[in-house]
Amino acid sequence: MAVNAHDTLALRLAEILRLLHLGEPLDRHELAGRFGVSERTIYRDLNRLGDMVLPQADGRYRLAEAYRNRLSPGDLHAFAQISGIERMFPAGPDWSWLELLRSGKTGLLVRDSHVEADRPGSRDFRELKRAVENRRRCTVVYSGRRRLLEPYRLIHNKGIWYLAAVDDGRVKSFALSRMADLQVLDETFVPDADIHAQVEEDEDVWFGQSRLAVTVAVGRGGAYYFKRRHVLPHQELIEDRIDGSLLLRCRVNHPNQLLPILRYWIPHVRVVEPSWLQQQLRDELNQYLQSTLSE
């Protein structure tokens, strides 16, 4: 069935309103290219929306304050990015984050029990967040001694909140649940660009100055799970073999970042290189078996 001019206009106005509700300013030239019409047509479309749309000093348009939702799709999207759940849901212009909240009902159920039993204290959490944003040094009591820290980022990793901070010239991670007597100082610091990049890009909280490259063979029985998602830190595929097995490379800052994962996936995994890491894994397993047999 053909779409008449009135339907085309209605669809165009609906899409413009959807874009406005996302919170981003709209440009007439960009909208004209998007819909394949003239800039003059877009100008008339925006005028049809009346006081719902406000022109800005830079020539772009925003949704008027009176018509803005208290919680916009843009707000929800920003929260999804901060909380790390963005990749759980569909991508693309047709996906609306407000669909999750419509009518207070949803067909979705997300299960994730891998969180600490106790939530972080709201006061310390806010203070640390401000210290990070304002680049202010702070002191905490951690592992029995007071430390002077330069905080870079609050990180939620595998159910636990950490503070990535420089302590005595080295970037480290500090579990919030083990911190005590937080004091935010008036002193500021200048963040190091390399440290900031490391904190942002690392997939874990095992921060270090150099990474160990490890080659891991994965048997056919476990290959599907390693292809479905990155199980290993900084995982890269080297070879997808004909027999269904995989050869992977990963990078870690410390062996203990990797060994627990390998133990979980036995007998489907084996360290190819370095050989000393495979030997360490074998020794730990032999020690465990001997201790259980002697009981």
Side-chain angles (χ1 to χ4, degrees):
M1 184 171 125
V3 179
N4 59 40
H6 183 273
D7 290 337
T8 302
L9 172 62
L11 292 172
R12 201 164 60 237
L13 291 176
E15 178 64 7
I16 289 174
L17 282 172
R18 187 187 74 83
L19 294 171
L20 286 167
H21 275 286
L22 288 175
E24 294 295 326
L26 300 184
D27 178 85
R28 289 204 308 262
H29 178 73
E30 293 175 358
L31 289 175
R34 183 186 185 100
F35 297 115
V37 296
S38 68
E39 192 170 334
R40 181 66 183 172
T41 297
I42 295 298
Y43 179 77
R44 288 196 296 266
D45 289 347
L46 293 168
N47 281 338
R48 287 185 175 99
L49 296 175
D51 63 351
M52 295 181 67
V53 181
L54 289 178
Q56 305 296 297
D58 60 1
R60 296 188 291 179
Y61 294 79
R62 285 186 180 273
L63 192 66
E65 183 69 32
Y67 294 94
R68 294 177 190 172
N69 292 323
R70 294 182 63 187
L71 192 63
S72 72
D75 295 329
L76 293 174
H77 188 200
F79 175 76
Q81 290 178 314
I82 294 169
S83 62
I85 66 171
E86 181 184 22
R87 292 180 63 84
M88 292 171 54
F89 296 99
D94 295 332
W95 170 252
S96 171
W97 291 95
L98 285 179
E99 291 179 27
L100 297 175
L101 304 179
R102 283 175 181 162
S103 304
K105 300 177 182 179
T106 179
L108 308 176
L109 177 62
V110 178
R111 285 198 172 115
D112 186 359
S113 60
H114 303 290
V115 295
E116 289 184 287
D118 297 323
R119 295 184 179 184
S122 59
R123 183 259 178 190
D124 284 356
F125 193 88
R126 288 194 187 98
E127 288 297 307
L128 284 170
K129 181 175 180 292
R130 292 192 188 103
V132 169
E133 293 169 350
N134 297 323
R135 302 173 179 178
R136 291 172 60 185
R137 292 187 176 94
C138 60
T139 67
V140 297
V141 175
Y142 196 88
S143 297
R145 68 182 181 89
R146 181 163 291 279
R147 301 166 186 259
L148 175 63
L149 306 179
E150 295 180 347
Y152 275 73
R153 185 72 84 229
L154 283 167
I155 302 173
H156 189 264
N157 185 72
K158 298 177 182 176
I160 300 174
W161 277 106
Y162 296 90
L163 175 69
V166 170
D167 174 30
D168 196 22
R170 293 179 54 201
V171 59
K172 304 175 184 176
S173 60
F174 300 87
L176 266 61
S177 59
R178 297 177 57 194
M179 289 183 178
D181 195 20
L182 168 67
Q183 302 291 330
V184 179
L185 308 178
D186 290 332
E187 304 172 13
T188 60
F189 68 97
V190 178
D192 183 282
D194 292 336
I195 292 176
H196 189 273
Q198 181 183 358
V199 170
E200 291 293 314
E201 297 169 6
D202 214 318
E203 297 179 1
D204 214 315
V205 292
W206 290 82
F207 301 120
Q209 300 305 314
S210 60
R211 290 197 179 109
L212 171 68
V214 181
T215 304
V216 177
V218 181
R220 183 176 60 183
Y224 165 77
Y225 301 98
F226 285 75
K227 292 171 70 174
R228 184 175 63 177
R229 65 180 179 89
H230 285 184
V231 176
L232 308 176
H234 298 280
Q235 176 179 308
E236 301 173 21
L237 177 64
I238 299 177
E239 184 180 358
D240 192 344
R241 293 168 169 168
I242 297 177
D243 63 0
S245 64
L246 303 174
L247 192 64
L248 304 174
R249 180 183 295 111
C250 68
R251 291 174 290 127
V252 297
N253 293 322
H254 192 281
N256 287 343
Q257 185 182 354
L258 180 62
L259 289 172
I261 302 173
L262 297 177
R263 287 195 293 266
Y264 179 87
W265 285 98
I266 289 173
H268 301 293
V269 296
R270 176 177 58 85
V271 176
V272 178
E273 292 178 349
S275 57
W276 62 262
L277 187 59
Q278 175 64 18
Q279 186 60 49
Q280 181 176 337
L281 178 61
R282 186 180 296 115
D283 291 343
E284 290 179 358
L285 294 174
N286 285 333
Q287 184 177 0
Y288 170 76
L289 290 173
Q290 290 173 12
S291 65
T292 56
L293 291 174
S294 62
E295 291 179 355

